[in-house]
Amino acid sequence: MTRFQRLAAATTAATFILIAVGGLVRATDSGLGCPDWPRCFGKLVPPAELHAWIEHSHRLVASVIIVLVAVLAVAAWRTGEARSVRWATVGAVALVLGQALLGAIVVWRKLEADSVTLHLATALALLALLELVTFRSRWPARDRDEPAAGDSASPTAGGGASRAAGDGRSRRFARLTMVGAGLVYAQMLVGSTVTGHDAGLAFPDFPLMDGRLLPDLTLTTAKLQVLHRGLAMVVGVVVVLIWLRARRTQWTHPTVTRLAGYASGLVVVQIALGVANVWNRLSALTVVPHLAVGSLLWGVMFLLALHASRFTGSGQRDPAEPEPAPRRSARQAAGAYFLLTKPRIIELLLVTTVPAMFIAERGVPPLWLVAATLAGGSLSAASANTINCYLDRDIDQVMARTARRPLPTHRVDPADALRFGVVLGVAGFVWLWATVNLLSAALATAAILFYVFVYTIGLKRRSTQNIVIGGAAGAVPVLVGWSAVTGTVQLPALVLFAIIFYWTPPHFWALSLKYREDYAAAGVPMLPVVRGSRETSHQILYYTLLLVAVTLLLYPAGRMGTIYLTAALTLGGVFVWRAVQLWRDASGQRAIRLFSFSNRYLALLFAAMAVDAVLRVHG
């Protein structure tokens, strides 16, 4: 990318941030935090009041955008960009100045609904225009008479007919993307109108409306809410249809199909956030992401329309695009992304989360809380596992055990895998914060960061203690479950954390004993590779004894009963016996048996915790 292209991309990203901050202003009722304009309570620096500073931050970001757009326009003319790009930057200057004026009018008119909606409409138009500048500076418009890449100058009659049919399908697809982008834009403005007329809770239930499918529409607020929900369904269907058609007809244009896939995912998230808005009574925790995701969806759809208009039109690849990936069905693609998340590891983490909630509740916690915690925990764990797959893709293709994962087999593009992992992590944090509490969200996100930066990047390829220290990330779900119920982290939760922490080394070292040659080939300093099988079997026995001791600490710390104590002693005794067997014969066969038993051990131990907690309460 040239300097101008980077500047254009940065200005576009900053405009998106401006829209998100505007959503924060609306969600927190800070629109009149500064009741005058351009000053705030007659001063340049606002008073020490939260709403004033939220509104003032919106104005500061807007000022930065004005400067960036002005610099972009000057750069376009000085660097000799294409004529269409130069005049587009002039239009952006006019739009950003109009946007600033509309911001003043919004304040002067005390947040009048129509002026607020026009303010958002201008901001979204500015975002699209800046995307156009960025796009055209990199990919100039193709002349109408210019043949698409790969077209023959003198086609045969049959070839010409085939290409004409392909061009027709591509033109229809490009028009469909424009319709989809227009619907998203309209939906954003309808949503702003709903907010401006305080119609967000015209019906406090979902999917019904006042308990009915056909509500009373005598009130304006009711009509607006019905329009908003109905149009959301139409947008969802159209965007998903665009993605399906792109996969079927535009697979030779990977950027087009990728953007269509992003839009399809975003529209699902957007609808889910809309439902959460109703359930959470328009909490800022869901209102702000709702506007941000909606704005991002608009940006992606507009960019998709640009790409469809520029690149489609031929069944052959445009040289400006990357090579297309092999064709896969939607089911195959979804399966590849699903495998990136390492679902079996997620299952194991969830097995420990639910019993922790039972012990914290001293009985059965609310089922909705359990479901919300598991959903958020699954998203966070999937994020960590996906990013781990991205970072370890070079060693995964060397190891026989991991060589068939989606990235080594090229079923998923690495950049897409990284974006998928980041989106999962953000979604997990937002979900847990909105439905559970901030502490649970922070703990789950801290586990992602620890697993990625401390274990995967920092320790895995450098230290034999990688799995010992890195195992702390896998122990965090019990803290998430405990804090979901209590809002705090108490002593029993720390003991549960220690149980997982001390269980991880014998569990994973047993697996690494079996696949020692794999780790040696990949250059990963696992303990069996560096210290040998004999020393590893000794360490497994030591950590197993520590694990059993820690499980007994939960009996007094968690006020557990006979059921748990019996399970801890029995299961612990079997674990120690198997570890002793491995110590005597450190073969791969005994190692994999111990590994398999360690999974059953953890599941049965935590199940005993849950049963003990429930039966003791009922007793």
Side-chain angles (χ1 to χ4, degrees):
M1 294 179 67
T2 65
R3 289 183 179 180
F4 178 82
Q5 290 164 1
R6 287 194 292 268
L7 176 61
T11 307
T12 305
T15 304
F16 171 76
I17 294 173
L18 174 66
I19 296 173
V21 174
L24 177 63
V25 172
R26 292 289 298 275
T28 57
D29 292 326
S30 301
L32 295 178
C34 292
D36 48 347
W37 195 94
R39 294 175 178 267
C40 185
F41 291 99
K43 299 178 181 179
L44 291 177
V45 178
E49 200 274 325
L50 178 62
H51 292 294
W53 272 101
I54 291 176
E55 166 62 16
H56 192 64
S57 67
H58 184 55
R59 298 184 185 184
L60 290 177
V61 175
S63 302
V64 172
I65 301 300
I66 292 174
V67 173
L68 285 175
V69 172
V71 171
L72 184 68
V74 172
W77 287 86
R78 292 194 61 180
T79 57
E81 295 292 328
R83 185 170 180 271
S84 60
V85 173
R86 296 199 303 269
W87 284 108
T89 59
V90 173
V93 171
L95 264 182
V96 76
L97 293 177
Q99 172 75 352
L101 177 59
L102 283 171
I105 293 173
V106 167
V107 175
W108 293 339
R109 294 192 175 183
K110 306 302 180 186
L111 306 183
E112 180 188 46
D114 292 342
S115 59
V116 170
T117 299
L118 184 59
H119 188 51
L120 177 63
T122 308
L124 296 175
L126 175 63
L127 179 66
L129 187 56
L130 290 172
E131 282 189 338
L132 176 64
V133 169
T134 307
F135 183 83
R136 289 297 181 214
S137 66
R138 189 170 183 180
W139 292 294
R142 192 165 57 204
D143 292 338
R144 185 177 299 272
D145 297 329
E146 177 188 346
D151 284 354
S152 172
S154 56
T156 63
S162 175
R163 183 165 53 255
D167 289 349
R169 286 193 299 269
S170 295
R171 283 194 295 269
R172 288 195 296 271
F173 177 79
R175 287 196 293 269
L176 180 60
T177 61
M178 294 176 188
V179 170
L183 286 172
V184 173
Y185 187 78
Q187 174 68 349
M188 293 292 294
L189 301 189
V190 170
S192 178
T193 305
V194 167
T195 303
H197 287 85
D198 293 324
L201 291 177
F203 304 113
D205 50 349
F206 187 93
L208 300 178
M209 292 169 281
D210 284 336
R212 294 182 294 176
L213 288 175
L214 298 175
D216 182 8
L217 297 179
T218 56
L219 296 177
T220 302
T221 54
K223 294 176 182 177
L224 288 173
Q225 183 59 239
V226 169
L227 175 62
H228 186 52
R229 293 189 184 186
L231 189 55
M233 294 299 106
V234 172
V235 169
V237 170
V238 170
V239 171
V240 172
L241 176 64
I242 289 173
W243 173 58
L244 294 175
R245 183 164 295 184
R247 289 185 58 82
R248 188 172 66 253
T249 65
Q250 305 299 328
W251 69 275
T252 56
H253 305 288
T255 306
V256 172
T257 55
R258 189 173 299 164
L259 287 172
Y262 294 158
S264 183
L266 284 171
V267 79
V268 173
V269 174
Q270 176 72 345
I271 292 174
L273 286 170
V275 175
N277 274 340
V278 177
W279 290 350
N280 289 341
R281 298 296 184 265
L282 300 182
S283 168
L285 299 179
T286 51
V287 170
V288 177
H290 188 54
L291 176 62
V293 172
S295 303
L296 185 59
L297 175 61
W298 156 244
V300 170
M301 286 299 298
F302 186 80
L303 197 58
L304 172 61
L306 290 176
H307 274 272
S309 175
R310 172 64 175 82
F311 291 120
T312 61
S314 169
Q316 301 191 28
R317 184 179 63 89
D318 191 301
E321 281 202 296
E323 289 284 350
R327 292 194 70 176
R328 297 188 305 272
S329 67
R331 182 177 180 180
Q332 290 173 327
Y337 278 96
F338 179 68
L339 292 176
L340 274 178
T341 66
K342 301 181 183 178
R344 296 191 66 179
I345 295 179
I346 295 176
E347 289 177 8
L348 201 60
L349 296 177
L350 299 183
V351 161
T352 63
T353 302
V354 175
M357 299 180 71
F358 275 64
I359 299 173
E361 183 71 23
R362 307 308 304 177
V364 181
L367 294 182
W368 70 265
L369 181 61
V370 174
T373 306
L374 291 182
S378 298
L379 289 171
S380 297
S383 169
N385 293 334
T386 300
I387 298 174
N388 172 264
C389 285
Y390 168 79
L391 294 171
D392 284 349
R393 64 191 186 279
D394 58 332
I395 61 176
D396 280 349
Q397 65 184 0
V398 176
M399 299 171 61
R401 183 174 66 89
T402 57
R404 297 182 61 84
R405 286 178 176 174
L407 288 177
T409 54
H410 308 289
R411 286 177 284 166
V412 177
D413 182 78
D416 287 343
L418 178 60
R419 283 188 283 263
F420 180 58
V422 172
V423 168
L424 287 173
V426 173
F429 178 82
V430 172
W431 175 263
L432 287 172
W433 189 7
T435 61
V436 183
N437 57 51
L438 180 59
L439 178 59
S440 295
L443 286 170
T445 304
I448 298 174
L449 299 176
F450 189 91
Y451 187 71
V452 170
F453 291 100
V454 177
Y455 169 67
T456 305
I457 297 177
L459 295 172
K460 184 171 182 177
R461 309 188 192 204
R462 293 180 175 87
S463 172
T464 58
Q465 296 299 302
N466 47 19
I467 198 61
V468 177
I469 301 173
V476 171
V478 295
L479 302 182
V480 174
W482 190 280
S483 62
V485 174
T486 65
T488 61
V489 174
Q490 299 165 325
L491 178 60
L494 296 177
V495 177
L496 291 170
F497 178 91
I499 290 174
I500 307 297
F501 183 81
Y502 284 107
W503 168 86
T504 303
H507 165 75
F508 204 88
W509 278 337
L511 180 68
S512 62
L513 269 175
K514 172 67 175 177
Y515 295 100
R516 179 178 58 179
E517 295 180 359
D518 265 5
Y519 286 109
V524 179
M526 296 300 295
L527 190 63
V529 176
V530 179
R531 305 287 292 276
S533 300
R534 189 67 178 169
E535 177 61 23
T536 302
S537 66
H538 290 172
Q539 293 293 326
I540 288 175
L541 178 57
Y542 299 152
Y543 271 93
T544 302
L545 292 171
L546 285 172
L547 168 64
V548 174
V550 173
T551 60
L552 298 179
L553 286 178
L554 187 63
Y555 178 69
R559 294 180 293 138
M560 306 303 293
T562 306
I563 294 176
Y564 169 74
L565 182 61
T566 302
L569 289 171
T570 304
L571 292 169
V574 176
F575 207 151
V576 171
W577 175 66
R578 287 181 176 271
V580 170
Q581 284 187 314
L582 182 64
W583 175 53
R584 291 174 177 172
D585 176 19
S587 64
Q589 187 177 12
R590 287 198 180 276
I592 203 65
R593 286 177 182 174
L594 179 62
F595 170 78
S596 300
F597 173 76
S598 66
N599 288 326
R600 297 194 298 273
Y601 167 87
L602 193 68
L604 292 172
L605 181 70
F606 273 78
M609 294 179 192
V611 172
D612 188 280
V614 173
L615 292 184
R616 291 195 70 209
V617 169
H618 286 298

